[in-house]
C-alpha cells in the first residue's frame, strides 16, 4: 500500500519534471522563432491588418509588400552590393588564410607557435574600438565610400577565425600523403595546392560560411566607411534607405525578410558545418 | 624534425605575407594609432597636438561616459550570469537526448545568423506602444502598454531582454562539451540510485567547468564591447540611459572629437583586457583564446 503511494508520487513528480522541461524548451523555441515568424507573417499582411491584429494570420496572404519593397527601396542595387562584397571578402579571406594556415600547420620554423597564437588572438580584440583608425586608414587609402574598403575590412577581420579553423583542419592531413607527393615531384606549392588544400575542403567551407555570414550581416563598418548608394550594403539599406517605409511597416517587413534570406538559407544548408566549427575547440574543455 | 634551417623559409614567408600584412594593417596598426591619438588633441581633418592625458580625464569626468561604463558592466554581468546559465540549462537538457534535440539545437542557434539590423527592427516594432506585440500581449491580461524603449527607467532592461534570443551560441559550445562526458559516469550513478538532478549537479556541472568558464569569459567580453543592437534600437538614449562605451566612442567621433574617441577606444580595450585576464585567473581552466577563435 505505502509502496504504491510512493510509486505514485514518484511518477507524478517525474511527469511534472517532464512538463517543466518541455515548457522550458518550448519557451526558447518560441523565443528563437518569434522574430522570424513575426516578420514573415506580417510581411504577407496589409498595414490595416497589422494594426488591428498583430498576431493573426493574414486574411488573404499577399506578396504585394514584396513588390512594393523591391520597387521603392533601391533594394536590388543594395542586394547586389552585398553579394559582391560578401563574395569578394570570402574569396580574399580564404585565399589569404589558407596560404598562412598551410605554412603554420605543415611546416616547422622558428616562431611558428607564437605567430599562430598572435594571429588567432585577434578574436579577443574589441574591433569597435578601432572606428577612428579604420575610418582614417580607408580615407587616406582613397577607399572611403568604395566597396573595396568593406571587402578588405571583412576579409581582414575574419583572418583570426579562418586561420584557426583552416589550420586545425590542415593539421589532420596525414604526413604520408605529402611525402608521397614529394616523391612524385611535388614542390612546396604543389603540396599546398594538390594535397593539403583539397583535403581541407571541409574546413574551408566552415571558415567561408562564418566569413559570409559576418560580411552579409555587418553594420557598423559599413555605416562608417560608406555614404552613397553605390557603396552601401543591404544592412544600411534596411536601416536608412527604408525611410520611405515610415508608415508602411508591412512593406518594411518584406524588405527585411528579403535581407535575411541569404544567411538563413546558408544556415539551413550548412548548419552542420557551423555547429562543427563552433565546437571545434570546445570538446577538449 | 627539421626545426632549424628549413630550406623553404623563403616560401613560408611568401605564404604568410598576405595574412600578416592584413593583420598588421587591421589589428596592430589600429592599436598603435588609437594609443597615440588618444594622447592628442585632434579634430579629424587638421593637425594634431599633444594633449597628455586630458582626453582620458575629460571622459572619466563626464557623467554620460561614466553611465556608459556602468551600462557595459551591467551588460557584462547580464551576459555572463543570466545568458550563460540559461544556455547551460538548455544544453544540459538537450544532452539528455529528448525527442528532437538535434532540431531544437539547430533552431535555438538560428537567431545568431540573422543580422542585428533586422532583429533590432523587429524588436523596435514588438516594443512599439501603439501596435507592438507586447502591447497586445499585456492587453490580454489588462495591463497598459508603455513606451519601453523611450522611457529611461525601462529602456536598458528592454534592450538587454532581447539578447535572450542569442543564448544558442553558448548552448552549442556547452552542449558539445556535455555530450563528450563519458556515458559510463551516468550509468554508474544510475546504479548507485542517484536521481537525474543529482547526476546533473554532481557529474555534468563539474565536467562542464572549463567550458562554462570559457562561455562566461566570452559573454562578459562581448558585454564590454556591446554596441550594435543598442545603437540600432535606441541610439544610446533616452538621456544616455542605454549608452555604452562603444556608443560614446561613435558619438565623439561623430562630433569630430577624434582624440577623445580614441581615448574611449583605449579605455574599452584596457577594461576588456583586464576583465578577461581577471576571469581567466578566477575561473582557472578553459581556454577562451582557442575557443573564441570559432
Amino acid at each position: 500500500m505505502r509502496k504504491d503511494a510512493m510509486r505514485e508520487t514518484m511518477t507524478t513528480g517525474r511527469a511534472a519534471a517532464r512538463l517543466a522541461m518541455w515548457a522550458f524548451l518550448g519557451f526558447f523555441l518560441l523565443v528563437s522563432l518569434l522574430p522570424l515568424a513575426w516578420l514573415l507573417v506580417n510581411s504577407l499582411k496589409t498595414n490595416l491588418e497589422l494594426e488591428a491584429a498583430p498576431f493573426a494570420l493574414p486574411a488573404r496572404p499577399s506578396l504585394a509588400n514584396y513588390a512594393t519593397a523591391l520597387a521603392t527601396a533601391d533594394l536590388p542595387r543594395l542586394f547586389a552590393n552585398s553579394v559582391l562584397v560578401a563574395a569578394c571578402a570570402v574569396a580574399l579571406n580564404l585565399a589569404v588564410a589558407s596560404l598562412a594556415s598551410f605554412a603554420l600547420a605543415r611546416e616547422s620554423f622558428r616562431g611558428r607557435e607564437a605567430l599562430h597564437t598572435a594571429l588567432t588572438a585577434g578574436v579577443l580584440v574589441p574591433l569597435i574600438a578601432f572606428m577612428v583608425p579604420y575610418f582614417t586608414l580607408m580615407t587616406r587609402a582613397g577607399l572611403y565610400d568604395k566597396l573595396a574598403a568593406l571587402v578588405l575590412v571583412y576579409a581582414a577581420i575574419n583572418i583570426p577565425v579562418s586561420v584557426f579553423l583552416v589550420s586545425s583542419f590542415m593539421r589532420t592531413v596525414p604526413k604520408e600523403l605529402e611525402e608521397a607527393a614529394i616523391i612524385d615531384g611535388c614542390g612546396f606549392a604543389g603540396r599546398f595546392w594538390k594535397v593539403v588544400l583539397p583535403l581541407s575542403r571541409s574546413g574551408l567551407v566552415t571558415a567561408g560560411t562564418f566569413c559570409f555570414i559576418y560580411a552579409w550581416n555587418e553594420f557598423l563598418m559599413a555605416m562608417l566607411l560608406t555614404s552613397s548608394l553605390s557603396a552601401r550594403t543591404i544592412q544600411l539599406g534596411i536601416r536608412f534607405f527604408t525611410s520611405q517605409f515610415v508608415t508602411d511597416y508591412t512593406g518594411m517587413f518584406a524588405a527585411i525578410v528579403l535581407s535575411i534570406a541569404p544567411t538563413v538559407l546558408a544556415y539551413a544548408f550548412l548548419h552542420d558545418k557551423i555547429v562543427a566549427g563552433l565546437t571545434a575547440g570546445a570538446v577538449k574543455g | 624534425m627539421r626545426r632549424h634551417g628549413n630550406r623553404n623559409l623563403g616560401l613560408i614567408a611568401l605564404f604568410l605575407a598576405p595574412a600578416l600584412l592584413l593583420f598588421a594593417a587591421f589589428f596592430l596598426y589600429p592599436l598603435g594609432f588609437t594609443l597615440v591619438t588618444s594622447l592628442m588633441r585632434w579634430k579629424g581633418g587638421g593637425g594634431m597636438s599633444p594633449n597628455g592625458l586630458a582626453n582620458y580625464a575629460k571622459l572619466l569626468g563626464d557623467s554620460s561616459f561614466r553611465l556608459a561604463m556602468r551600462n557595459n558592466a551591467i551588460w557584462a554581468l547580464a551576459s555572463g550570469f543570466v545568458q550563460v546559465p540559461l544556455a547551460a540549462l538548455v544544453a544540459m537538457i538537450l544532452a539528455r537526448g529528448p525527442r528532437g534535440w538535434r532540431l531544437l539545437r539547430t533552431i535555438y542557434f538560428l537567431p545568431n545568423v540573422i543580422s542585428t539590423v533586422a532583429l533590432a527592427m523587429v524588436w523596435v516594432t514588438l516594443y512599439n506602444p501603439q501596435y507592438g506585440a507586447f502591447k497586445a500581449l499585456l492587453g490580454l491580461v489588462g495591463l497598459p502598454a508603455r513606451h519601453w524603449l523611450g522611457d529611461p527607467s525601462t529602456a536598458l532592461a528592454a534592450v538587454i531582454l532581447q539578447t535572450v534570443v542569442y543564448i544558442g551560441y553558448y548552448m552549442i559550445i556547452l552542449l558539445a562539451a556535455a555530450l563528450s562526458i563519458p556515458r559510463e559516469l551516468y550509468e554508474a550513478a544510475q546504479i548507485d540510485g542517484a536521481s537525474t538532478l543529482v547526476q546533473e549537479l554532481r557529474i555534468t556541472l563539474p565536467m562542464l567547468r572549463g567550458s562554462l568558464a570559457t562561455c562566461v569569459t566570452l559573454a562578459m567580453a562581448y558585454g564590454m564591447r556591446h554596441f550594435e543592437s543598442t545603437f540600432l534600437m535606441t541610439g544610446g538614449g533616452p538621456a544616455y540611459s542605454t549608452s555604452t562605451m562603444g556608443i560614446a566612442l561613435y558619438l565623439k567621433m561623430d562630433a569630430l572629437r577624434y582624440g577623445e574617441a580614441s581615448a574611449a577606444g583605449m579605455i574599452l580595450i584596457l577594461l576588456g583586457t583586464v576583465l578577461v585576464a581577471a576571469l581567466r585567473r578566477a575561473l582557472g581552466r578553459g581556454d577562451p583564446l582557442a575557443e573564441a577563435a570559432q
Side-chain angles (χ1 to χ4, degrees):
Chain A
M1 175 68 194
R2 249 188 65 193
K3 235 180 179 173
D4 278 358
M6 244 174 81
R7 193 169 297 151
E8 204 156 283
T9 42
M10 262 181 74
T11 44
T12 10
R14 200 166 293 166
R18 287 190 78 81
L19 194 68
M21 180 193 94
W22 281 110
F24 187 72
L25 292 180
F27 170 74
F28 279 107
L29 188 66
L30 198 71
V31 162
S32 305
L33 289 174
L34 177 76
L36 262 189
W38 170 262
L39 274 175
L40 212 55
V41 168
N42 285 324
S43 73
L44 302 172
K45 294 205 288 213
T46 65
N47 279 297
L48 270 174
E49 285 178 305
L50 171 69
E51 222 161 311
F55 289 112
L57 291 172
R60 277 197 305 139
S62 142
L63 292 175
N65 290 318
Y66 288 87
T68 320
L70 284 170
T72 53
D74 297 315
L75 223 58
R77 178 62 194 266
L78 295 159
F79 213 85
N81 286 349
S82 270
V83 169
L84 192 63
V85 166
C88 293
V90 170
L92 179 62
N93 173 270
L94 289 185
V96 165
S98 59
L99 287 171
S101 298
F102 176 73
L104 291 169
R106 307 301 300 184
E107 291 293 319
S108 53
F109 55 92
R110 201 185 302 210
R112 182 182 72 158
E113 289 305 316
L115 258 184
H116 187 260
T117 308
L119 277 180
T120 49
V123 288
L124 293 177
V125 179
L127 294 166
I128 61 157
F130 293 160
M131 284 185 230
V132 176
Y134 280 8
F135 178 77
T136 313
L137 190 69
M138 284 307 163
T139 309
R140 286 182 184 164
L143 291 175
Y144 177 75
D145 204 22
K146 300 227 161 68
L147 290 173
L150 297 182
V151 171
L152 275 177
V153 170
Y154 296 163
I157 285 176
N158 273 283
I159 284 178
V161 176
S162 293
V163 165
F164 180 87
L165 287 170
V166 176
S167 68
S168 61
F169 257 89
M170 285 187 171
R171 246 183 232 123
T172 63
V173 175
K175 196 82 196 161
E176 295 76 46
L177 289 177
E178 266 185 290
E179 279 156 8
I182 293 174
I183 293 167
D184 289 347
C186 263
F188 188 86
R191 281 191 287 129
F192 167 71
W193 188 249
K194 291 195 185 134
V195 182
V196 176
L197 198 63
L199 289 171
S200 312
R201 205 182 299 130
S202 192
L204 290 172
V205 172
T206 306
T209 310
F210 277 99
C211 188
F212 169 76
I213 291 174
Y214 179 87
W216 187 270
N217 288 342
E218 207 283 332
F219 169 74
L220 172 60
M221 297 304 164
M223 175 175 69
L224 216 58
L225 300 175
T226 64
S227 58
S228 58
L229 179 64
S230 64
R232 293 222 127 162
T233 57
I234 188 79
Q235 303 305 331
L236 271 301
I238 294 299
R239 175 66 178 172
F240 295 118
F241 288 88
T242 49
S243 50
Q244 51 266 67
F245 289 130
V246 86
T247 51
D248 179 11
Y249 288 101
T250 53
M252 187 182 77
F253 289 148
I256 297 178
V257 169
L258 292 173
S259 80
I260 65 178
T263 54
V264 172
L265 283 177
Y267 182 63
F269 287 109
L270 295 165
H271 60 88
D272 287 340
K273 297 266 181 231
I274 291 175
V275 170
L278 277 169
T279 55
V283 274
K284 71 179 188 299
Chain B
M1 283 190 295
R2 309 168 287 167
R3 189 101 197 141
H4 297 284
N6 187 327
R7 62 194 170 82
N8 290 325
L9 270 183
L11 286 163
I12 291 172
L14 194 65
F15 269 49
L16 286 170
L20 291 180
L21 196 70
L22 280 177
F23 190 78
F26 290 95
F27 288 85
L28 302 179
Y29 167 79
L31 190 61
F33 185 95
T34 306
L35 176 63
V36 171
T37 54
S38 74
L39 304 169
M40 300 281 171
R41 188 193 310 276
W42 182 32
K43 302 227 169 279
M48 306 178 192
S49 56
N51 203 20
L53 292 172
N55 293 328
Y56 291 91
K58 182 145 189 231
L59 281 176
L60 296 174
D62 178 350
S63 62
S64 71
F65 191 75
R66 286 206 303 269
L67 190 58
M69 289 201 291
R70 186 208 68 164
N71 287 344
N72 273 119
I74 295 175
W75 268 101
L77 290 171
S79 309
F81 298 102
V82 180
Q83 250 194 325
V84 174
L86 283 174
L89 200 51
V90 174
M92 285 158 80
I93 294 176
L94 292 190
R96 294 225 152 231
R99 186 181 305 230
W101 69 273
R102 281 171 201 277
L103 181 64
L104 286 175
R105 175 179 69 174
T106 303
I107 295 175
Y108 290 157
F109 186 79
L110 177 63
N112 288 283
V113 307
I114 297 174
S115 75
T116 318
V117 174
L119 282 184
M121 299 196 70
V122 171
W123 286 99
V124 167
T125 56
L126 288 174
Y127 277 128
N128 185 297
Q130 263 102 52
Y131 62 87
F134 293 135
K135 180 208 177 226
L137 271 181
L138 289 173
L140 293 178
V141 289
L143 285 170
R146 296 182 62 165
H147 195 7
W148 290 279
L149 291 173
D151 182 341
S153 64
T154 52
L156 183 63
V159 178
I160 291 180
L161 185 70
Q162 51 92 25
T163 57
V164 74
V165 301
Y166 295 115
I167 65 159
Y169 178 77
Y170 304 108
M171 181 276 293
I172 294 259
I173 296 174
L174 293 166
L175 178 57
L179 289 173
S180 73
I181 300 171
R183 294 295 105 186
E184 298 82 46
L185 292 177
Y186 296 99
E187 285 157 18
Q190 194 97 47
I191 292 166
D192 291 343
S195 69
T196 307
L197 186 64
V198 170
Q199 290 173 26
E200 292 302 314
L201 292 175
R202 294 277 171 80
I203 301 172
T204 316
L205 269 184
M207 296 290 281
L208 284 183
R209 201 175 166 276
S211 302
L212 277 170
T214 300
C215 286
V216 169
T217 308
L218 276 181
M220 294 190 80
Y222 291 151
M224 295 301 282
R225 61 179 89 159
H226 175 77
F227 176 87
E228 225 160 68
S229 52
T230 295
F231 179 81
L232 291 159
M233 288 170 70
T234 67
Y240 296 108
S241 61
T242 58
S243 186
T244 63
M245 289 187 280
I247 288 174
L249 193 171
Y250 176 82
L251 293 176
K252 290 288 183 195
M253 200 181 157
D254 211 35
L256 298 179
R257 296 171 176 279
Y258 279 39
E260 287 170 49
S262 286
M266 281 314 293
I267 293 175
L268 200 162
I269 293 171
L270 285 174
L271 288 179
T273 311
V274 167
L275 180 78
V276 169
L279 282 170
R280 289 187 79 170
R281 229 188 141 84
L283 301 172
R285 280 162 39 78
D287 188 1
L289 191 74
E291 278 148 50
Q294 290 120 63

